[in-house]
Amino acid sequence: MRDTRESRLLLVLLIATAFALITVDIRGGQESPVDGARQAAAAVFGPVENGVASAVDPVGNAIGAVRDSGERSTRIAALEKENAALKTKLGSDDRNRNRVRELDAMLKTAGAGQYGIKGAQVIAIGAAQGFSWTVTIDIGARDGVKRDMTVINGSGLVGRVTTVGPSTSTVLLANDPDFTVGTRMEKSDELGFATGQGDRPLLIQLLNGKAKVKKGDRLVTFGSQADKPFVPGVPVGEVVRVDPAGGGLTRNIYVRPYVGFTKLDIVGVVVQAPRKDPRDMVLPQKPKPAPTVTVTAPPPAQDGQQPDGQRQPGQQTGGQAPVGPAAGRVQQPGQAAQPPAAPPADQPDENQQPQDQGATP
């Protein structure tokens, strides 16, 4: 049909007529004047509609089945993903117990030093990808984390925050070669600077070249101005080797860190420094030495003397040994006991009282 003025006019008339009939039908309700025409049209076009529906229904059902199948597959995939995430979150019982122990130790360390901390979990390790010794934690600026904050765990110093994102942060570990922290010796207060050496012990350069240091001595952080990047009193490690003093201005020692940098999981960012320096209060208690058991050997037996519990025949078991002529006399079996022999007449009796010297004959 050509697009002419007459065709446009006819189209407008048809639309106006349709609206008029719809209006009359709606106002008439059940007594609508076009009800008969509608029934007649239904009688004519009803079979056609059923035929078309019968032909189209299988196609529609197939499309619906495909759509429902896709929805079910998506739902199953979503459930499997949720199940996997739940298993990952729960983890094994051993891992959960280990995390509880780490968290408990970190809270005790923070309590001993009066550090205000934000707990975090390590979600990535930089060294595993061949970069510097760094880790990524799952808290950031939204949690109050800022650059140059101290990071600790239950064992001691972990590192410092170097980069902060909205929800994650990067921590430079204390064993990185670019890491440096001021240290203080326990009790002696000798100051130095610790530098990371990767998987080797930390190198500590003491400012006093004549400082007395021995294996097993312990160190803590000295602290920075305004407590950034390091707060004071955080345990660093124990001395494992001391270079001999060479008369220089400084002295090198090597320290085994308390923290295991290859197995980090739960850490804490110090967001609030302590009011005063905790000194050595955060260091773990030294194990008490086991008591020494002393065994005393019995004295060696003298010549002619038998060990305790043995005696020679005829030796008395108690009392005082006989003195005088009866000494060494052994009574034979069946022999009557004889009285002791009287002293000779020319010898005075020891038991006899002396006579009065003053009497005259």
Side-chain angles (χ1 to χ4, degrees):
M1 185 176 183
R2 294 181 180 182
D3 186 11
T4 60
R5 184 177 180 182
E6 292 78 5
S7 62
R8 292 179 183 178
L9 181 60
L10 178 61
L11 179 61
V12 171
L13 292 175
L14 291 175
I15 294 174
T17 304
F19 274 107
L21 292 174
I22 293 172
T23 302
V24 172
D25 186 28
I26 293 174
R27 290 183 177 180
Q30 294 181 355
E31 299 179 355
S32 174
V34 297
D35 184 61
R38 182 168 54 247
Q39 292 180 0
V44 174
F45 295 104
V48 177
E49 291 178 352
N50 290 332
V52 173
S54 301
V56 175
D57 280 347
V59 179
N61 294 336
I63 295 174
V66 172
R67 183 182 63 253
D68 294 341
S69 176
E71 292 178 355
R72 285 194 296 268
S73 299
T74 304
R75 182 57 179 166
I76 292 173
L79 291 174
E80 290 178 350
K81 186 177 180 179
E82 292 177 2
N83 190 22
L86 183 60
K87 289 182 179 180
T88 303
K89 184 177 180 179
L90 293 177
S92 63
D93 293 339
D94 293 339
R95 185 179 181 185
N96 289 335
R97 284 192 293 266
N98 184 55
R99 286 186 171 183
V100 169
R101 286 193 297 266
E102 289 186 10
L103 181 60
D104 183 64
M106 185 177 67
L107 292 177
K108 289 181 179 179
T109 298
Q114 297 299 307
Y115 306 127
I117 63 172
K118 283 278 188 179
Q121 182 180 353
V122 175
I123 57 177
I125 300 177
Q129 288 80 27
F131 302 105
S132 59
W133 288 85
T134 60
V135 296
T136 302
I137 57 178
D138 61 350
I139 59 175
R142 298 173 182 171
D143 305 287
V145 179
K146 299 179 180 179
R147 181 183 170 89
D148 287 336
M149 283 186 169
T150 309
V151 182
I152 65 173
N153 68 358
S155 301
L157 179 66
V158 173
R160 64 181 177 89
V161 177
T162 56
T163 306
V164 180
S167 58
T168 61
S169 303
T170 302
V171 178
L172 183 68
L173 301 182
N175 64 336
D176 188 272
D178 293 333
F179 186 92
T180 302
V181 58
T183 60
R184 179 179 58 79
M185 297 289 300
E186 180 186 14
K187 296 181 180 178
S188 68
D189 292 340
E190 293 287 351
L191 302 181
F193 292 96
T195 304
Q197 298 192 112
D199 54 359
R200 294 180 296 169
L202 303 176
L203 172 62
I204 312 294
Q205 191 175 40
L206 297 179
L207 300 182
N208 183 6
K210 299 180 180 179
K212 296 181 179 180
V213 187
K214 65 180 183 301
K215 185 178 180 180
D217 288 348
R218 306 186 295 181
L219 298 91
V220 298
T221 57
F222 177 68
S224 306
Q225 185 176 5
D227 300 314
K228 287 187 178 183
F230 302 107
V231 294
V234 180
V236 176
E238 295 184 359
V239 177
V240 293
R241 183 164 66 90
V242 181
D243 284 349
L249 297 178
T250 61
R251 189 176 188 184
N252 293 338
I253 62 176
Y254 300 88
V255 172
R256 180 182 66 249
Y258 288 121
V259 174
F261 298 104
T262 59
K263 51 182 180 181
L264 293 172
D265 188 10
I266 304 298
V267 298
V269 179
V270 181
V271 295
Q272 183 177 359
R275 295 182 179 178
K276 63 178 182 178
D277 189 347
R279 306 290 294 176
D280 303 328
M281 295 177 59
V282 190
L283 284 169
Q285 295 183 354
K286 290 185 176 181
K288 297 181 179 180
T292 304
V293 179
T294 304
V295 179
T296 304
Q302 300 179 0
D303 296 340
Q305 182 179 1
Q306 298 296 327
D308 294 343
Q310 301 181 6
R311 61 188 179 91
Q312 296 292 340
Q315 182 178 357
Q316 296 184 359
T317 59
Q320 186 177 2
V323 181
R329 182 183 299 169
V330 181
Q331 181 178 352
Q332 298 295 330
Q335 182 180 3
Q338 297 181 1
D346 56 348
Q347 295 183 1
D349 189 357
E350 295 179 355
N351 297 324
Q352 182 180 2
Q353 298 294 330
Q355 297 180 357
D356 189 4
Q357 299 295 331
T360 58

